[in-house]
Amino acid sequence: MRGLEAAVATNVVAQTILTETPGLNLPSWYLGAGAITGCVWNLIHGFDPRHGIKDYDLVYFDTQDLTSETETAVEHAANQLFKGLGVHIDVTNEARVHLWYEERFGTAIEPYRSTEHAISTWPTTASSIGVRHERGVFTVCAPFGLRDLFGLVVRPNKTLVSSDVYESKALRWQAEWPRTQRARLVVGCHSPQELVVLLQRRRVGAGLLRLRDTRFGPVRLSAINIMVGRDRVVGTAVTAITAGSASTSTVSAHVALALVHDV
């Protein structure tokens, strides 16, 4: 945890927020998500500590007041407190997220049990993190640990996130921090048909998926480009095939045929 605390300490904005937020008297608060992830990735990349951080997410948990008016008032107070920093503070009462989540994202969710429970559902494992500094104690909530964060891995947290939200974040983060990489999709299957089923079960989002060093029995495909639709795999292009006795054209046709059909 000392490495994380040291990384956050390089960012004067984050440090100021951590130092002054106790004055807002927010229950179970954390500074979290991209603000903390950005501190670590900027340090690793050698970038300015504030690089790529769009806003600073401040979360708390208050079941006694679930009104949007109070949440807005808290956000206003936070932005007034930190107006000299030149950044926007995005404040969320995690106890009331279930009241608006379906309207915004199309999926109903149960009420969170705590701030820590909410953090465990955030879009990626590296950004499912919150920290606070109170009474000289640096507290960390990291339900997935810190390995992906310090390993520069952009891995979807499939607890709740949609593929669209994940893709949007992954693309932006890879543009801001070029050494980051997406987590590898590791599956075990014996045929192209099984691959399609596994991709659909894992809710792979629409877009181009590139698989490397894929094997189906005696056939090894060094690369496959698969176009994944919202409800099915709709096409493929196979490159650089190494196959035992099978011909390139036969394997290519077999894979393409398997991937264009619904299963």
Side-chain angles (χ1 to χ4, degrees), residues 6-263:
V8 175
T10 64
N11 185 321
V12 65
V13 173
Q15 273 300 99
T16 302
I17 294 172
L18 290 174
T19 300
E20 301 297 332
T21 293
L24 294 172
N25 295 314
L26 302 177
S28 191
W29 68 272
Y30 288 92
L31 175 64
I36 305 305
T37 304
C39 288
V40 174
W41 289 352
N42 283 332
L43 180 62
I44 294 174
H45 280 77
F47 293 163
D48 182 282
R50 296 172 58 169
H51 170 83
I53 301 176
K54 295 197 303 183
D55 51 30
Y56 289 75
D57 292 297
L58 194 60
V59 296
Y60 67 102
F61 197 82
D62 184 2
T63 58
Q64 301 304 308
D65 190 338
L66 301 180
T67 65
S68 61
E69 290 79 8
T70 296
E71 184 182 61
T72 299
V74 172
E75 180 170 282
H76 177 73
N79 279 283
Q80 283 297 109
L81 179 62
F82 301 119
K83 63 182 178 180
L85 298 177
V87 299
H88 176 69
I89 312 298
D90 189 357
V91 177
T92 301
N93 179 6
E94 296 290 355
R96 67 177 304 274
V97 169
H98 64 285
L99 299 177
W100 51 259
Y101 193 92
E102 183 175 13
E103 181 178 352
R104 187 176 303 182
F105 295 107
T107 302
I109 64 171
E110 293 295 318
Y112 289 132
R113 300 184 297 273
S114 63
T115 315
E116 292 80 5
H117 179 207
I119 291 173
S120 74
T121 70
W122 288 355
T124 72
T125 54
S127 63
S128 292
I129 187 167
V131 304
R132 66 171 176 255
H133 204 283
E134 248 177 344
R135 301 182 184 92
V137 177
F138 185 75
T139 301
V140 177
C141 174
F144 300 100
L146 302 178
R147 178 174 296 181
D148 282 351
L149 175 60
F150 281 91
L152 302 171
V153 176
V154 183
R155 187 190 311 276
N157 173 9
K158 296 181 181 179
T159 303
L160 189 60
V161 67
S162 69
S163 58
D164 290 341
V165 170
Y166 168 71
E167 286 296 324
S168 174
K169 288 185 177 295
L171 288 172
R172 188 181 82 81
W173 288 351
Q174 288 182 302
E176 296 284 3
W177 296 284
R179 290 173 57 188
T180 58
Q181 57 184 341
R182 300 194 191 199
R184 294 180 180 179
L185 176 65
V186 179
V187 297
C189 56
H190 299 90
S191 69
Q193 292 90 336
E194 282 191 46
L195 174 62
V196 175
V197 173
L198 284 167
L199 292 176
Q200 291 178 333
R201 285 178 179 171
R202 287 169 178 255
R203 297 182 298 174
V204 174
L208 185 66
L209 177 69
R210 185 172 177 82
L211 303 180
R212 296 181 181 275
D213 296 322
T214 304
R215 298 172 184 269
F216 298 125
V219 179
R220 177 183 176 188
L221 310 179
S222 62
I224 313 177
N225 292 329
I226 304 172
M227 185 58 68
V228 184
R230 289 190 177 275
D231 56 355
R232 64 172 182 155
V233 180
V234 296
T236 184
V238 181
T239 61
I241 296 176
T242 303
S245 59
S247 68
T248 298
S249 58
T250 301
V251 175
S252 178
H254 175 55
V255 174
L257 180 64
L259 291 175
V260 296
H261 288 293
D262 288 329
V263 292

